[in-house]
Amino acid sequence: MRLLFVEDSKRLQQTVGTALRRAGFAVDVTGNGQEGLWLAEANEYDVIVLDIMLPGLDGLGLLKQLRDQGRNTHVLLLTARDTVADRVRGLHAGADDYLVKPFALEELLARVQALCRRAYDSKQNKIIIGDMHIDTAARTVSRAGHVIMLQAREYALVEYLARRAGQVVSRTEIESHIYDGDTGLMSNVVDSAVCAVRRKLHVANPEPIIHTRRGQGYVMNPVSP
């Protein structure tokens, strides 16, 4: 899943950005509201984590412009203000959730994961595709009863394809959702990642679950097309 984190505190940029990446998210980070608006307009994010107090353009102004444009990306607002009036203003501006500073990283991650589930119309932490089970809270994958050890980026690939099971997903879509803007991508990075995941899934069950549609992309389906 790909996130945008708009926060002017360098310390939080480093701490939260690192925690989100370790959890398997692709993260773009900026400390300026105007740049945050430009990134949000230029990319498709699953969730935006947005501070209210920002230079250039404040968080509520950024959020209002996104909603006025008809963009429905889920937004988690961060603020140091803990009054009912402030929370109501944020929610009325179009925020989906609200977190007061200081916060625990575990709670931030849980709220981001919840918004990601909402982005794909899911209320559950479990995704089942054939004999493959994905726990999106624990970020684990098992197949045929065997736990599959995946690196963070490999897990992100599996979850993204699983959330779009039965749909053909292009290489460009995969790149934009599981790699952030700071990642220098080789031309075959997606194909290499898919091959690595296939090898690991094959150990538990040799029946393919990720299928290639030549010239189009990949589709996750327990039944061969």
Side-chain angles (χ1 to χ4, degrees), residues 92-135:
H92 281 172
D96 298 278
D97 201 357
Y98 198 101
L99 190 58
V100 177
K101 299 176 181 178
F103 51 81
L105 282 174
E106 292 83 357
E107 182 177 4
L108 174 68
L109 288 171
R111 288 175 181 267
V112 167
Q113 289 165 352
L115 290 178
C116 283
R117 291 196 301 271
R118 288 170 60 184
Y120 290 90
D121 295 324
S122 173
K123 298 290 187 182
Q124 304 297 324
N125 289 326
K126 311 289 185 182
I127 304 174
I128 300 175
I129 310 292
D131 65 351
M132 185 172 69
H133 292 233
I134 303 171
D135 186 326

Side-chain angles (χ1 to χ4, degrees), residues 11-182:
R11 181 183 62 81
L12 282 179
Q13 286 182 14
Q14 178 68 29
T15 302
V16 175
T18 299
L20 290 169
R21 291 187 180 101
R22 285 178 177 170
F25 293 102
V27 187
D28 293 330
V29 178
T30 180
N32 181 279
Q34 199 63 53
E35 184 176 354
L37 177 62
W38 178 82
L39 286 168
E41 292 172 337
N43 301 286
E44 291 293 330
Y45 293 104
D46 295 291
V47 174
I48 298 173
V49 180
L50 177 63
D51 188 26
I52 289 182
M53 301 298 292
L54 293 167
L57 175 67
D58 69 30
L60 292 181
L62 191 163
L63 178 57
K64 183 178 184 305
Q65 291 197 43
L66 290 180
R67 296 303 188 234
D68 287 347
Q69 294 171 18
R71 296 178 181 271
N72 296 317
T73 308
H74 287 87
V75 173
L76 170 62
L77 278 182
L78 301 178
T79 181
R81 298 173 177 173
D82 187 20
T83 69
V84 172
D86 288 321
R87 292 197 295 272
V88 168
R89 282 179 60 225
L91 294 171
H92 281 172
D96 298 278
D97 201 357
Y98 198 101
L99 190 58
V100 177
K101 299 176 181 178
F103 51 81
L105 282 174
E106 292 83 357
E107 182 177 4
L108 174 68
L109 288 171
R111 288 175 181 267
V112 167
Q113 289 165 352
L115 290 178
C116 283
R117 291 196 301 271
R118 288 170 60 184
Y120 290 90
D121 295 324
S122 173
K123 298 290 187 182
Q124 304 297 324
N125 289 326
K126 311 289 185 182
I127 304 174
I128 300 175
I129 310 292
D131 65 351
M132 185 172 69
H133 292 233
I134 303 171
D135 186 326
T136 60
R139 305 187 79 77
T140 58
V141 176
S142 63
R143 191 173 189 205
H146 299 279
V147 176
I148 310 298
M149 302 304 295
L150 299 175
Q151 297 178 5
R153 197 81 73 183
E154 293 170 345
Y155 171 83
L157 171 62
V158 171
E159 182 183 337
Y160 182 53
L161 290 176
R163 289 195 182 280
R164 298 189 55 184
Q167 303 175 28
V168 177
V169 185
S170 70
R171 290 170 176 82
T172 300
E173 288 177 305
I174 293 172
E175 285 182 6
S176 68
H177 275 80
I178 70 172
Y179 297 96
D180 55 52
D182 293 331

